[in-house]
Amino acid sequence: MTQGSVKDTTGYVNYVYNISARGTTQVASQLMGLSGVASSILGQLAFQTSSYLSETEGALLSMGVVATAGLGKATQQAMEFDQALATISAISGKSGSSIDELGEQAMDMSAKFGVAVGEMTKGLESLARAGVSANNMNAILEQAMGLSKLEGLSLERSINDLISTTNLLDTKGLDLESPEYAEAVKYQNQKITATSEAAPINAQDIIHTLEHIGGYASSTNLDQDDLYAVIAQLGSKGTKSEMAGTSLRAFISAGQKDTAQRALKRIGLNVKELWKDDETIMSITDMKDVLDEAMEAKGYTRQEKLEFYSDFAGYKQANQIMKIDTTSAREFKEKIDRSWDMGKKIQTVIGTAGTNVQGMVQAGINFLTKVGKP
């Protein structure tokens, strides 16, 4: 493609996309030649506002990418974005420069990830409704952006899922305004995406599983790294989402039932032997090993083991519990632990050509949103 063949906005994007592989020097020199065409498209309005554009937006102006959005739509987006910031200000009690800075950072992330301003607006509103402090919003927003891009979820859904999962598995009673809360969100995000990579299950499967077991897991201080590994291992056997969650919850809470206590007595165990010395429950894999070893010592057949687990956790869950392979689960744990850091995954996604083009287009739209501010 030659510069002379560029006739419209799509052409500009394709032109930049094609020459981007040929080096930054040539790209820069080619972009300089497009400024006259961009001027004719945008008129004097764009250039009159160029004094407060970022360097990136200035380059986009030369490319003509900003012509992908109409000023009418941009004005509406600007009003909605400002309303979201006003909502955050009212809820958090913060105003002035701190809210302005939050808005600027959110707009930068919009361009960085190629996410529409409308999605960013919904995301900020979701964070405000959840009670997340203004100080934590950008850190959590970036994590949600990563989950959204890696798993193909909407930004709003990613935010809601990350916050609900973090709250569900929180064992420390973290304050949503504390820096530790943002770190907890990052940890859960890392575990969700790493588990999704390690096994044939997606983030939604994992989150739905946690919805059914998370509350009990946090109240008993269950080993969460082990929990994610078992979720991955069960997922590899076709047990996921609600079925996995209800089966695991029945398994770790079984000791409270009379039928489970009688079943344990049959194999020479009692409930206390399923708990650690520090009065926290054993990990799922350790508990499964203890139970299986006790049954094997008595020479139980597979059918007798199934009958034990039916009495211990319920007949509906017994088959799924039988699928837990502790050796395989520990191998999944190693895979999850070796997984890339979430930040590196995000950078990889940002570095793809398609995301770069989305980011260029979105930065152009963001420029018009700034122009469209009332």
Side-chain angles (χ1 to χ4, degrees):
M1 178 183 287
T2 64
Q3 183 178 336
S5 67
V6 176
K7 302 297 183 183
D8 55 23
T9 303
T10 302
Y12 287 127
V13 175
N14 290 335
Y15 178 74
V16 173
Y17 176 88
N18 286 327
I19 67 173
S20 64
R22 305 210 303 260
T24 55
T25 302
Q26 189 170 1
V27 170
S29 64
Q30 294 284 356
L31 289 179
M32 292 300 291
L34 293 177
S35 59
V37 182
S39 177
S40 65
I41 294 174
L42 296 173
Q44 291 303 308
L45 173 62
F47 289 98
Q48 288 170 0
T49 59
S50 63
S51 60
Y52 66 85
L53 297 183
S54 69
E55 183 178 346
T56 301
E57 290 164 337
L60 288 164
L61 187 64
S62 299
M63 289 161 50
V65 175
V66 288
T68 60
L71 276 173
K73 182 179 179 181
T75 300
Q76 181 63 31
Q77 287 183 336
M79 293 172 64
E80 291 171 354
F81 190 74
D82 281 348
Q83 183 58 50
L85 293 178
T87 300
I88 294 168
S89 177
I91 293 174
S92 67
K94 294 183 179 292
S95 60
S97 60
S98 61
I99 295 297
D100 290 341
E101 183 179 353
L102 174 64
E104 286 296 323
Q105 290 173 346
M107 198 72 80
D108 287 345
M109 273 192 273
S110 169
K112 177 180 176 182
F113 287 92
V115 174
V117 174
E119 270 214 78
M120 292 294 297
T121 301
K122 291 179 182 177
L124 290 171
E125 289 174 342
S126 294
L127 289 169
R129 287 195 300 270
V132 174
S133 70
N135 293 336
N136 279 339
M137 280 191 177
N138 274 315
I140 295 174
L141 194 57
E142 183 161 8
Q143 291 299 313
M145 286 275 205
L147 181 61
S148 172
K149 286 293 183 180
L150 289 167
E151 295 289 336
L153 305 173
S154 72
L155 177 59
E156 186 176 15
R157 180 63 179 270
S158 296
I159 288 170
N160 291 336
D161 283 347
L162 278 178
I163 289 175
S164 63
T165 300
T166 302
N167 292 346
L168 198 60
L169 293 173
D170 174 26
T171 60
K172 300 177 181 178
L174 294 174
D175 188 328
L176 271 68
E177 295 189 3
S178 69
E180 290 80 8
Y181 185 81
E183 285 299 312
V185 171
K186 182 179 179 180
Y187 169 82
Q188 297 300 344
N189 198 22
Q190 170 70 16
K191 287 298 178 183
I192 290 168
T193 55
T195 303
S196 176
E197 289 175 2
I201 52 177
N202 59 38
Q204 285 297 285
D205 291 329
I206 297 163
I207 291 164
H208 287 157
T209 300
L210 293 170
E211 286 173 356
H212 292 278
I213 189 177
Y216 196 86
S218 62
S219 66
T220 56
N221 286 313
L222 185 71
D223 184 332
Q224 294 186 14
D225 290 343
D226 183 78
L227 172 60
Y228 275 107
V230 173
I231 290 172
Q233 189 267 320
L234 281 176
S236 72
K237 297 292 186 180
T239 301
K240 53 191 176 182
S241 201
E242 181 179 354
M243 178 57 75
T246 54
S247 297
L248 291 174
R249 183 182 63 200
F251 181 63
I252 63 174
S253 64
Q256 301 173 6
K257 302 187 303 181
D258 290 340
T259 53
Q261 292 170 18
R262 288 195 294 269
L264 286 171
K265 189 175 181 179
R266 290 204 309 266
I267 61 174
L269 296 176
N270 61 61
V271 175
K272 290 183 179 179
E273 291 175 271
L274 303 181
W275 288 71
K276 300 177 185 178
D277 293 337
D278 61 358
E279 297 187 349
T280 60
I281 197 168
M282 278 186 176
S283 69
I284 293 172
T285 52
D286 285 346
M287 188 187 299
K288 182 72 162 42
D289 279 342
V290 167
L291 296 174
D292 284 348
E293 287 168 8
M295 285 186 277
E296 286 166 12
K298 288 186 171 291
Y300 272 32
T301 65
R302 178 176 175 79
Q303 182 59 38
E304 287 172 325
K305 288 180 180 179
L306 183 60
E307 289 172 0
F308 167 83
Y309 281 122
S310 293
D311 291 339
F312 182 74
Y315 73 94
K316 289 184 178 180
Q317 288 77 32
N319 275 316
Q320 309 309 321
I321 293 169
M322 289 280 285
K323 291 180 184 179
I324 299 175
D325 181 329
T326 59
T327 299
S328 178
R330 291 185 178 103
E331 290 172 354
F332 274 107
K333 183 178 183 299
E334 290 179 4
K335 288 181 183 178
I336 293 168
D337 289 343
R338 289 197 305 265
S339 180
W340 285 3
D341 178 80
M342 186 65 185
K344 293 180 180 178
K345 295 175 191 173
I346 292 172
Q347 290 305 317
T348 300
V349 171
I350 294 172
T352 61
T355 302
N356 285 339
V357 173
Q358 292 174 4
M360 288 187 293
V361 172
Q362 190 57 51
I365 294 172
N366 291 356
F367 158 67
L368 281 183
T369 299
K370 291 179 180 180
V371 173
K373 281 182 177 289

